[in-house]
Structures are given as C-alpha cells and as structure tokens.
Amino acid sequence: MTRLFNDPSAFADEALEGFTAAHQRWVRPVTGGVVRAAGTPAGQVAVVIGGGSGHYPAFTGLVGRGLAHGAAAGNVFASPSAQQIRSVARAAHGGAGVLLMYGNYAGDVLHFGQAAERLAGDGIDARTFAVTDDISSASPEEPAKRRGIAGDLPVFKAAAAAAERGADLDEVLRVAGHANARTRSFGIAFSGCTLPGADEPLFTVPEGRMAVGLGIHGEPGIGEEALPTADEAAELLVTSLLKEIPEGVDGPGGQRAAVILNGLGSVKYEELFVVYRRVAALLADAGVEIVDPEVGELVTSFDMAGISLTLTWLDDELEELWRAPADTPAHRKGAFTGPEPEAEPAAGAAGETILLADDDETVPEASEESRRAAGIALAALTAVATTVDTHVEELGRIDAVAGDGDHGIGMQRGSTAARRAALTAHDLGAGAGTLLTRAADAWADKAGGTSGALWGTILRAVGTALGDQDKPTADSVAHGVSAASAGVQRLGGAEVGDKTMVDVLVPFADTLAELVAAGTPLTDSWDRAARAAEAAAAATADLLPRKGRARPHAEKSLGTPDAGAHSLALITRAVHGVLLNHH
Ligand SMILES: Nc1ncnc2c1ncn2[C@@H]1O[C@H](COP(=O)(O)OP(=O)(O)O)[C@@H](O)[C@H]1O
Ligand SMILES: O=C(COP(=O)(O)O)[C@@H](O)CO
C-alpha cells in the first residue's frame, strides 16, 4: 500500500522534487529529471538513463560519478517523454555524445528513440540502448523481446565506467552490448504493489503461493508455485539462471560473475540475506566465483513483495568495469583516485528549461475558416478529456489484468495536457492544424508512456492533414485519420491482430475513408466508423497480445479487451458527439 501521497497524479513530480532536495551533493534538477551536480566532464560521453517512476533507486538514484550522467524520470510506471529525455540529455551532454539507456519497454523504446532523433537535430550524437536481462519475459530465441529489470544496474555501470575511462561513443555502446549479452535475471513475487491512490494491488498471489517470473511493474508472473522456503527460492533462482548461460561463457565452472539479489520493495534485508546465503553456496557449488555482490533494493516496484537474482558473467573487461568506483545517492563503491575533471561549460546550463508545446506564446497565421474549425477541434479535445476522466479507473483496471495498470492515469495526464495546450492555442487565434499539433506535443510531452507517444502521433497526423489555411472537409479529416493509422503502425510496429489500439484504429480509419469517399457526410461516416471501432475494441477480448506490456502475460489477458483499444473506441464515440453538435 502506498500510504503517503497528496494528489496521486502529482506523485512522481513530488517524489522527484524531494529526491533532488535531499541529494544536492550528487544531482541537480533539470526539466525532465536530474543530471550530475558537478556536470559532465568536458569530452566525456554522457550516459543518460531513465524510465518510469516507482522503481527507486532506478533511475535517478544512479546518477553520479562512475555511473549515469543524467536520468529522465517519467510518471509512475510510464516512460519519460521524448522531450523530457532530450532536455536531460542536453543538460548532461559533455561534448562527446550521449548514450541513452533504459529497460526494454514499449514506451521507453518509442520515447528514447524519438529523443535520439531530436538530439541529432540539436547537433548532439545520441545513440540508444535497451537492457534485456529478464529471462522470463521472452524465450532465448527472442532475446530482443526481453524486458530490463535489475540487470539495468550492471549494464548501465559497465557503459558509464567505460565513459569515465575516456571511451568514445562507439566504444561505450559496444561495452553496453557486451555487458547486456552476459547479464541474465530471474525473479519471483509474493504480492503485488499498490499504486498511489489505488485501492487495490495490481495483482494478488494466493495465500501460500508465489508468482514465478515477475516484472518490475507488478506484472503478474508467468507461472505460480507453492510458497518456497528461503533455500528453495534461492535454488529456483540459481537453477533458472544456470540453465541460460550466455553464448561465449563455457559452463558455470571456473567463471566469475557479478551477482545482484534485488528486493522489489517490501522484502526485508534480513530475508534477502537468508536467501543470499544459499545463493552464494549454490553458485560456489557450481564453481562460480562471485565478484562484488549486491544484496538490497536496486530496482523496485513500490511495495511489491518479490526478489530477483541477476548474474553478469564477467570477463576481464567487464570485471574491471563492475569493480570501478561509483559515487551516487544509492550506489557507492571504492574510491576515485583523482579529482573529477572540469565539467563541460555547456552542461552547466543550470535548470535549463525546454519549452513544452503549451508554453508557446505565438501561433502562425491562420484563415478564418481554419480558426473556426479550431473551435470544433478544441471542443473535441475537451470531450476526449472528459471521457477519459469518466473512465479513468476502468481503463486502469483493464490495463492491470495483463499490463501495468497505468493506462487510465497516462491517458488522463495526456488528454488533460492536450486540452490545455489546445485552449492556449485557440486563445492565441490558432488554426485547426496548429491547435492539433500543439495538443499532440503536449499529450506526448506530459503523458510519456506508449499511449503518450502514439496519441501524439495521431493528433499530429490529423493536424498536419488539416493545416491552418484550408477549410477542413470530410476528405481532409478522413485523410488525416488514415495518416494517423499509418503513423501509429509505423512507430509502434504493431499489426492488426496483435491486440493493441491498432486493432481499432485500422477499421475506424478504413470505414471512415470508405464512407467519405462514397459521399456520406462526415458526421454519419464518423458515427458508423465509431461503431466499427467499438465492435473491434470488444473483439480484442478474444485476442492474445503480441506487443506491449501485456505480451508476456498473454493468456491472462484472454477475455479482457485491450486497454488502448478500448480507450480509442470511447474517444471516437465522444468526438462523434461533438460533430453532431456542430453539424
Ligand atoms: N507497439 C504498439 N503499437 C500500438 N499500440 C501499442 C503498442 N504497444 C502498446 N500499445 C497500446 O498501448 C496501450 C498501453 O498504453 P500505456 O498504458 O501508455 O502503456 P504502457 O504503460 O505499456 O506504456 C496498450 O493497451 C496498446 O493498445
Ligand atoms: O514502465 C516503464 C516504461 O515503459 P512503458 O512502456 O511506458 O510503460 C518504466 O517504468 C520502465 O522504464
């Protein structure tokens, strides 16, 4: 249970504020997260990590010399937005490029990828790297689909220690890949976490049982077994990891490994030590020499009761990097021999503020007709925000069945920000195109997460199709929706049948385009397309997810519709109401 909070939707921001106030020796705040208080030494590659909030010390607690140069902090269990990541990376940049590192989650992949593109536009060489250590999240044949859990730490640290030694960006990226290829984790859980403001835990494990193969968002495990003794838990973790020794490592005997026994939030340190005692013995029996073990909370999930074991199979290079000194709020090791080199002056832009979409104070010239259409677009976005508010808990509940339960909160943050940005743009006299584009940026910037990136794409596509000069027509609206559908498929890589919002967007866009092309008026076409959307959303209940957070828990999601598909159908219906009123 998360007991101490004010407004649940402000929880992540308030936690970040308190964290930076408490740890000024190591970090200073910038838009979107934190960077090292001392800045990035001139000419050093900056390692910028990040992810959702709710996992402390990941990610902000790992910023400091020898580890990350900056961390972008998203909302609870949601990726930071591309704009947040860009802002942190710009502040952390020491003139030698940036490596963006994160766990392999859909929202993170989308937003960090977009941030790298924007940084290139800023003239900063930025690369991305997703950690994939969790062996329970995909088969060994599909390692790129695995998610990142406590293995984040050794992989981040290897890359950052290489940067500290003066490696260039290509080399830091190579080291990250090498460390990740030799890092494996596996976990178990005994009870789920409760998000701030929620009454129920994200999942429960029956009395006397444990979930096997946990994630770090309270995702249910992939199996269930009787509650083990501490020794049995250790045996399960060790044997699971010894079955998956990476390529290039010749059996466990004679190998050296970095070992992390991680507590997920409410397993006591003493319990961890009891388990570790057996882990150490089992690894010794297998001939593995343990190097600098870590037993404690390194990647958490609020108050979730669970533990995970991580092994990084070391060679000489990785061992040196694992043993290298580090000095961060939550992870300290060894001692640095010399003073930290001078920081890059550009990195000292203290508190640099990157303007977000709704802060813009001017809008481009627009025609009278387009400004009138902007009024309808504003009404539509208001209806969207109201519908999302009404269904916020339902959306969270659906998402919790096989996802991370944050879909309602994320949609609420995004749609509220979009409406606010649209109102500002409207008051400045924006045309429909600019109004929707500003709303798109605000949605993506403020919500983060998978749906934030995708809804940003949807609104931007429609805004681009409408522009600021021409009177919007049924054709241009249908064209914009088709472009949105294509854009979402391009960005997220999902196809119809994968159990995502694409299952709704495609029939919605196709029905609308077909009817409009046949001369049916926009409001009627939209009504029938919204009906197709509602039917398609309901039909996702019969599908098994192949993308996104729900994928590893495919069977659990049978019988429940996809959360993003359902919210999209609700939104198409709400917008129809607005079109009827402006008929
Ligand atoms: N690759 C993808 N392409 C399109 N839609 C996706 C993809 N992955 C996930 N989604 C949609 O995003 C929804 C979840 O959004 P959100 O709650 O923001 O997710 P997360 O917490 O995983 O970032 C899913 O229900 C699904 O409809
Ligand atoms: O949840 C996280 C980011 O992934 P999403 O796909 O946006 O949910 C985060 O907590 C881990 O980085």
Side-chain angles (χ1 to χ4, degrees):
M1 189 80 202
T2 306
R3 294 178 187 84
L4 298 175
F5 54 88
N6 300 306
D7 170 5
S9 69
F11 185 87
D13 296 340
E14 292 182 352
L16 182 62
E17 217 178 302
F19 165 78
T20 51
H23 292 297
Q24 295 172 34
R25 192 185 123 200
W26 290 277
V27 299
R28 69 181 169 81
V30 290
T31 305
V34 296
V35 295
R36 288 189 195 174
T40 296
Q44 190 170 109
V45 170
V47 171
V48 170
I49 61 176
S53 296
H55 306 302
Y56 193 82
F59 296 86
T60 50
L62 303 178
V63 174
R65 191 170 177 197
L67 239 158
H69 299 79
N75 194 18
V76 169
F77 287 1
S79 146
S81 70
Q83 197 70 323
Q84 284 183 287
I85 299 159
R86 171 180 169 228
S87 159
V88 173
R90 276 167 51 139
H93 186 226
V98 180
L99 181 61
L100 303 174
M101 301 186 75
Y102 44 92
N104 191 27
Y105 298 92
D108 289 322
V109 172
L110 294 178
H111 287 282
F112 279 91
Q114 288 181 344
E117 284 170 18
R118 290 185 199 177
L119 287 164
D122 296 334
I124 295 176
D125 189 0
R127 317 280 176 84
T128 58
F129 191 85
V131 179
T132 55
D133 57 305
D134 180 8
I135 65 170
S136 69
S137 52
S139 71
E141 288 73 46
E142 298 187 302
K145 286 192 176 167
R146 288 180 167 177
R147 57 198 176 198
I149 53 172
D152 280 349
L153 174 68
V155 181
F156 294 165
K157 185 170 189 300
E164 181 85 22
R165 281 169 192 198
D168 66 15
L169 187 53
D170 287 335
E171 177 62 4
V172 173
L173 185 59
R174 182 197 65 77
V175 168
H178 183 49
N180 187 53
R182 285 176 163 247
T183 299
R184 302 278 188 276
S185 301
F186 187 71
I188 52 181
F190 318 109
S191 76
C193 64
T194 306
L195 300 182
D199 302 325
E200 303 278 334
L202 272 180
F203 73 94
T204 51
V205 182
E207 196 60 35
R209 311 283 294 168
M210 74 169 163
V212 177
L214 82 167
I216 57 165
H217 300 92
E219 299 100 328
I222 51 171
E224 203 186 278
E225 289 180 18
L227 191 66
T229 61
D231 283 358
E232 286 163 355
E235 278 147 28
L236 174 66
L237 296 175
V238 171
T239 49
S240 301
L241 292 182
L242 292 186
K243 275 190 220 140
E244 265 240 19
I245 295 181
E247 233 181 85
V249 178
D250 298 330
Q255 298 294 329
R256 294 164 71 78
V259 176
I260 298 173
L261 184 64
N262 179 53
L264 266 290
S266 65
V267 174
K268 296 302 303 168
Y269 271 69
E270 284 83 351
E271 289 174 272
L272 289 175
F273 291 134
V274 174
V275 175
Y276 183 72
R277 161 193 146 275
R278 183 72 185 139
V279 166
L282 288 167
L283 288 174
D285 287 350
V288 180
E289 195 166 329
I290 296 174
V291 178
D292 282 4
E294 290 285 338
V295 180
E297 294 187 349
L298 291 149
V299 178
T300 60
S301 180
F302 280 104
D303 58 332
M304 177 166 170
I307 59 175
S308 64
L309 182 68
T310 300
L311 297 183
T312 298
W313 298 91
L314 301 171
D315 56 14
D316 290 348
E317 178 186 36
L318 291 178
E319 180 162 343
E320 227 181 88
L321 297 167
W322 176 242
R323 301 187 89 131
D327 183 24
T328 77
H331 183 72
R332 282 165 230 163
K333 195 169 200 171
F336 291 94
T337 46
E340 192 161 18
E342 282 286 295
E344 170 73 15
E352 178 191 32
T353 301
I354 298 239
L355 274 191
L356 297 180
D358 54 345
D359 296 331
D360 232 331
E361 282 170 3
T362 57
V363 292
E365 196 89 34
S367 72
E368 183 62 38
E369 283 163 328
S370 183
R371 290 214 300 271
R372 210 170 307 120
I376 303 176
L378 173 60
L381 287 165
T382 304
V384 169
T386 306
T387 295
V388 169
D389 278 350
T390 310
H391 293 90
V392 65
E393 273 156 27
E394 179 194 355
L395 295 174
R397 247 191 337 271
I398 294 177
D399 190 32
V401 172
D404 56 356
D406 68 349
H407 188 64
I409 300 178
M411 290 293 287
Q412 191 174 43
R413 274 176 78 107
S415 59
T416 304
R419 196 195 84 84
R420 201 170 42 236
L423 184 61
T424 306
H426 183 261
D427 291 350
L428 293 168
T434 295
L435 181 137
L436 284 165
T437 308
R438 296 274 167 94
D441 289 347
W443 192 314
D445 291 349
K446 295 279 168 64
T450 312
S451 57
L454 299 177
W455 272 97
T457 299
I458 291 173
L459 295 184
R460 178 172 281 279
V462 178
T464 305
L466 298 189
D468 285 339
Q469 299 308 327
D470 299 334
K471 178 179 177 186
T473 60
D475 268 342
S476 59
V477 171
H479 173 69
V481 172
S482 293
S485 171
V488 164
Q489 289 173 76
R490 209 168 34 244
L491 187 62
E495 293 168 7
V496 170
D498 285 348
K499 194 163 185 166
T500 71
M501 63 149 76
V502 168
D503 289 322
V504 170
L505 192 49
V506 167
F508 176 71
D510 290 353
T511 310
L512 187 68
E514 229 169 77
L515 292 170
V516 165
T520 314
L522 179 61
T523 307
D524 294 341
S525 302
W526 193 288
D527 181 28
R528 283 170 57 188
R531 253 183 275 155
E534 286 158 346
T540 61
D542 302 330
L543 297 174
L544 289 172
R546 292 198 295 248
K547 285 269 174 197
R549 181 60 54 70
R551 186 187 50 75
H553 313 291
E555 281 76 26
K556 281 188 194 297
S557 100
L558 259 190
T560 305
D562 173 64
H566 183 55
S567 60
L568 173 56
L570 290 171
I571 285 170
T572 61
R573 181 51 63 199
V575 172
H576 176 248
V578 174
L579 294 177
L580 266 182
N581 284 340
H582 292 82
H583 203 32

